[in-house]
Amino acid sequence: MGRVTARRPVLRVRDGQVTHRSDTLTVEEPMELRVGGRALTVTMRTPGDDFDLAAGFLVGEGVVRTAADIAGIRYCAGAADDGSNTYNIVDVVLADGVPPPDASLERNFYTTSSCGLCGKSSLEAIATTAPWNLAEDPLRVAPETLAVLPDRLREAQRVFDRTGGLHAAGLFTPEGELVCVREDVGRHNAVDKAVGHALRSGRLPLRETILMVSGRASFELVQKAVMAGIPLLAAVSAPSSLAVDLAADQGLTLVGFLRGSSMNVYTGSAVTV
């Protein structure tokens, strides 16, 4: 398995004092995702929980909905100079009867770790492919419960303490108990890893579940929440206009600027005020 952190030399300047030291950085490497041996996309990610990442990505794209849709996930031989496995190529085998990804999903270029691909036309596509009705979810959460989630998410970030360079996504119960946390250099990768873990554990749709993310709420993260059946997405920063549009269209409760007891509820009715 690839390393999550790496050491690099740095010239540190503090209050006029200059020192030479080593700094711990978050590793960022490409991962190629294949489905049935056919290349689908390449994303820059932090190594670790790669099978969850692959499964979660396919949930977000509407390729799979349950653990039974996946027959197997494996690493393919990498391309290291010494012939060893780089663990940077993951192949997903779909179960019999599960249609392969549409050819339009094939991306013969890499997706950056900071954002994926989305656009206004995706609103209509998601409206027709979303498998779960979020408006019918019974989740109700008090503002006081949401207020403690950023700190609980931060406390669960193991690698962030060493690097300061990772995003996190956490799944929480209605009572604010942490179910799963995943870290990655990319916001969308962290969510994919959390959703993929839930899929492989047989927990989709994630009814009565809160998704808490450490950054902003983009259109893409709302899309991933919708496709996983998550009724509430909370973020410490701002949402985009398209994220709010999609959340409203799909019945998802979207909370932004969640910082202590302060928050903005942009859409939905899951927050009891």
Side-chain angles (χ1 to χ4, degrees):
M1 182 62 62
R3 295 177 299 163
V4 177
T5 62
R7 301 285 289 177
R8 294 291 186 274
V10 61
L11 182 69
R12 183 175 183 178
V13 181
R14 292 291 186 276
D15 300 322
Q17 300 297 314
V18 179
T19 57
H20 293 271
R21 55 172 290 182
S22 293
D23 196 19
T24 301
L25 305 177
T26 301
V27 170
E28 182 177 30
E29 293 182 352
M31 187 191 86
E32 178 181 311
L33 173 59
R34 299 177 181 177
V35 177
R38 185 171 182 174
L40 180 64
T41 190
V42 177
T43 186
M44 301 300 295
R45 95 316 187 186
T46 300
D49 302 306
D50 290 334
F51 290 1
D52 288 345
L53 173 58
F57 178 86
L58 295 179
V59 170
E61 297 293 346
V63 178
V64 300
R65 297 184 180 182
T66 69
D69 291 338
I70 296 178
I73 306 178
R74 65 184 181 92
Y75 285 109
C76 299
D81 293 338
D82 60 2
S84 62
N85 198 328
T86 62
Y87 296 98
N88 285 339
I89 303 175
V90 174
D91 189 22
V92 177
V93 179
L94 300 178
D96 291 341
V98 177
D102 187 274
S104 64
L105 291 180
E106 293 183 14
R107 299 170 185 173
N108 295 318
F109 51 87
Y110 75 88
T111 299
T112 69
S113 55
S114 59
C115 65
L117 302 175
C118 62
K120 193 74 175 181
S121 61
S122 298
L123 280 171
E124 296 179 0
I126 294 170
T128 60
T129 59
W132 324 112
N133 188 339
L134 302 185
E136 297 179 351
D137 196 289
L139 176 70
R140 295 295 181 270
V141 183
E144 294 77 15
T145 299
L146 291 176
V148 302
L149 298 190
D151 286 342
R152 290 183 179 177
L153 182 66
R154 174 66 182 82
E155 291 168 359
Q157 286 189 257
R158 294 175 300 174
V159 182
F160 184 89
D161 287 335
R162 296 150 61 193
T163 67
L166 282 180
H167 289 285
L171 301 176
F172 290 86
T173 68
E175 296 74 33
E177 297 301 319
L178 181 63
V179 176
C180 168
V181 64
R182 290 291 184 267
E183 293 180 281
D184 198 275
V185 70
R187 290 176 295 113
H188 69 285
N189 287 341
V191 172
D192 278 342
K193 288 179 178 181
V195 170
H197 170 76
L199 174 91
R200 299 175 67 211
S201 301
R203 297 191 62 240
L204 258 60
L206 283 163
R207 291 172 60 81
E208 297 190 83
T209 299
I210 303 164
L211 172 61
M212 178 75 217
V213 296
S214 60
R216 64 185 180 87
S218 65
F219 171 92
E220 185 180 34
L221 297 193
V222 172
Q223 172 187 341
K224 293 178 183 299
V226 168
M227 297 301 288
I230 298 171
L232 194 157
L233 168 61
V236 298
S237 297
S240 67
S241 61
L242 200 59
V244 173
D245 291 345
L246 178 59
D249 182 70
Q250 293 296 312
L252 179 139
T253 298
L254 179 59
V255 178
F257 293 109
L258 178 54
R259 300 167 185 176
S261 60
S262 176
M263 66 194 74
N264 291 346
V265 181
Y266 291 90
T267 64
S269 58
V271 181
T272 57
V273 294

